[in-house]
Amino acid sequence: MTTNSIPWPGAGVAEPSVVDRLHGWVTTVDHKRLGILYIVYALTFLIIGGIEATIIRIQLIRPHADFVSPEVFNRMFTMHGTTMIFFMVMPILFGFGNYLIPLMIGARDMAFPRLNAFSFWLTAFGGLLLYFSLVGANGLYGAGNAPDVGWFAYAPLTSRAFSVGHSTDFWTLSIFVSGFGSIGVAINFIATILCMRCPGMTLAKMPLLGWMYLVTAGLVVLAVSPLSAAQIMLIIDRYLGGHFFDTQAGGSAVMWMHFFWVFGHPEVYILVLPAFGFASEIIPVFSRKPIFGYSVMVAATVAIGFISMSVWAHHMFTVGMGRALNTLFVFTTMAIAVPTGIKIFNWLGTMWGGKIEFKTPMLFCTGFIFQFLLAGLTGIMLGSAPFNWQLSNSYFVVAHFHYVIVGAIVFCIFAAIYYWYPKISGRMYNERLGQLHFWLFFIGFHLTFDFMHFVGLLGMPRRIYTYEPGRGWETLNLIVTIGVFFQAAAIIVMLVNLVWSYSRGEKAGADPWDAWTLEWSTSSPPPVYNFAAIPAVRSRRPLWDLKHPDNPDWRYEE
Ligand SMILES: [Cu+2]
């Protein structure tokens, strides 16, 4: 197998104009370009969602603050949650998957390039539709007509009786539209991963990232559909005289919760599995050891996929389901901790005895393991119904899920940004700024979300606009808010690094990390056609075999 970068036919033609370039990006069906569009789109919403979080935290910095009005506060936490989940984390994961999966399995593109483009634009328009709600009656400072019902929009708060204007409809339709984008890209991942692997790459030789995206895609198809169905029912309730979620008229508000969490809990695995994939690709390279327990990792991933569809009602321990059902969901929730724990063990097993180099991607992965372990422990605590009854709807819950979403998923996303930035941009990022990003964010994260657990244990409910002095919440809230400013500074450092390095960074070359998967066999950035000749592989580390013909991996795998 050869490294491949053949000059593109027609070299030396006139520079395309700005309009041509724009047209090229808007009409592209190339998986790499679509990947970049998803990533840039998501980073834009990271900034917007971060600003919303900062506004919430400034309002809660002390008792009786009046930085924003109660209405704006409700709109801020609804927009923050909805934005970060549906228009930041999901798109950035779809972006990395789009860019990397065809390269890592030795293919020239995704299975359905036009469906791929269409899926991106559905997601893109979904986010724009959500933010169009800001251009509403109350003006920007009143946060317009932005949705204010929380990111899970419980009934009957979403009924016309309690949500008079169109704010809830912006929530419903924006997620409904982007939901089809998600289902479209998921179908593409499944077809690409199952049908377009290069010769020799059996499923048992596929990079772990491929397995994570395969299971994730399956969950997207299974979990997003019930949410879309429930949203149609909500629209019928709001405009066509339906009573699906109207308890007084024979419907059920609890039924919305079941529909939402049948989506909502698998959703957290839709978000975390690709992140696990990033860590499973990065940790071996910076430990100079192949992943520990490849097959067990695959089995744990598939097990998580199945079990994650059976735990949803642990979000509903307080609605009165009764002892039998509560017990069942306590049991399934505890069961999902087993395959998840196995993964933590395998990552530590990979690092154990390795020659670890703490470059920025590895720093973020190390932070991820530590924080994901803690997040798992508070998850087990909240998964036991009696404990949950005490802390449901408190800041302990908010701290727990931010520990997973920020402490695990966002940390892995940052690791992925720095690890694959050289491949995507052709340049090295600034390592010092990378390390500064890590430490600022690490400190900020722990200030915010460690202390948030304690204010929750002291009884502070989530989503309250303000609070009384004298309950022991003041200092904790101050520290929590200070942490957010560290995180904001860290994000700014990252953005400066990425933009600056794009034109001034050191040239990266094809394989700056001395890695082992196929994307590093192409130039940086890769040519439009990816590979001059479709590669053929014999092991899980094709580039190791190429670089170590005297001691190839296939000798042990075959
Ligand atoms: Cu859950």
Side-chain angles (χ1 to χ4, degrees), residues 261 264-266 268-269 311-315 333:
W261 290 115
H265 189 88
V268 304
Y269 287 97
V311 302
W312 77 89
H314 67 211
H315 295 269
T333 303

Side-chain angles (χ1 to χ4, degrees), residues 24 39 44 50 56 98 102 124 128 133 158 188 195 235 257 259 276 278 327 338 367 371 380 387 402 516 536 543:
I39 294 169
T44 311
I56 293 168
N98 243 295
L128 294 177
S133 70
T158 50
N188 235 324
C195 308
I235 293 168
M257 295 170 82
F259 268 102
F276 287 167
F278 298 154
T327 311
V338 177
Q371 281 138 204
I380 287 175
F387 184 90
H402 279 91
W516 307 309
L543 253 63

Side-chain angles (χ1 to χ4, degrees), residues 236-252:
I236 293 172
D237 272 16
R238 287 177 57 82
Y239 292 101
L240 299 173
H243 300 291
F244 288 102
F245 307 119
D246 179 357
T247 312
Q248 264 93 27
S252 159

Side-chain angles (χ1 to χ4, degrees), residues 267-543:
E267 170 70 2
V268 304
Y269 287 97
I270 289 168
L271 305 182
V272 85
L273 285 175
F276 287 167
F278 298 154
S280 302
E281 298 298 335
I282 295 169
I283 292 172
V285 169
F286 288 96
S287 306
R288 307 316 296 163
K289 274 177 60 182
I291 191 86
F292 180 89
Y294 174 94
S295 319
V296 177
M297 272 293 224
V298 171
T301 306
V302 174
I304 285 175
F306 281 104
I307 304 173
S308 76
M309 296 295 293
S310 69
V311 302
W312 77 89
H314 67 211
H315 295 269
M316 300 164 61
F317 281 139
T318 56
V319 302
M321 288 189 298
R323 183 173 297 189
L325 274 179
N326 277 347
T327 311
L328 172 70
F329 285 102
V330 167
F331 177 76
T332 55
T333 303
M334 298 303 167
I336 209 165
V338 177
T340 320
I342 287 173
K343 284 181 181 279
I344 293 179
F345 181 75
N346 284 23
W347 290 313
L348 292 174
T350 307
M351 291 169 75
W352 187 263
K355 285 196 214 83
I356 303 176
E357 209 186 346
F358 283 106
K359 286 265 170 76
T360 306
M362 191 58 181
L363 274 178
F364 277 110
C365 283
T366 312
F368 147 70
I369 295 177
F370 165 59
Q371 281 138 204
F372 186 62
L373 180 65
L374 294 177
L377 294 176
T378 54
I380 287 175
M381 291 157 77
L382 286 165
S384 83
F387 184 90
N388 190 290
W389 293 334
Q390 304 303 321
L391 286 160
S392 178
N393 228 24
S394 77
Y395 264 99
F396 189 89
V397 174
V398 181
H400 162 69
F401 70 69
H402 279 91
Y403 237 80
V404 181
I405 295 176
V406 182
I409 299 166
V410 171
F411 266 66
C412 284
I413 288 170
F414 288 150
I417 288 174
Y418 289 106
Y419 181 64
W420 281 291
Y421 181 80
K423 181 52 59 182
I424 298 173
S425 70
R427 304 268 179 164
M428 295 306 289
Y429 61 85
N430 181 297
E431 182 60 35
R432 281 220 181 158
L433 286 179
Q435 307 245 345
L436 177 62
H437 170 196
F438 172 78
W439 287 111
L440 279 173
F441 201 83
F442 185 80
I443 294 165
F445 171 84
H446 285 282
L447 284 176
T448 296
F449 298 111
D450 293 10
F451 291 89
M452 197 183 271
H453 283 96
F454 296 109
V455 78
L457 284 170
L458 288 173
M460 185 174 175
R462 62 192 292 190
R463 295 178 174 177
I464 54 171
Y465 158 71
T466 190
Y467 50 95
E468 297 294 325
R471 296 188 178 188
W473 301 351
E474 292 92 328
T475 316
L476 292 167
N477 274 296
L478 175 64
I479 298 171
V480 169
T481 300
I482 291 171
V484 165
F485 285 99
F486 272 80
Q487 293 173 65
I491 301 282
I492 294 168
V493 168
M494 175 185 75
L495 296 171
V496 168
N497 193 353
L498 299 181
V499 173
W500 186 87
S501 304
Y502 191 72
S503 53
R504 310 277 185 87
E506 193 195 321
K507 285 259 160 76
D511 182 16
W513 309 121
D514 187 12
W516 307 309
T517 38
L518 287 176
E519 76 273 27
W520 303 105
S521 73
T522 67
S523 60
S524 300
V528 179
Y529 47 85
N530 291 359
F531 304 95
I534 295 291
V537 306
R538 292 185 68 180
S539 83
R540 292 173 196 142
R541 300 197 295 170
L543 253 63

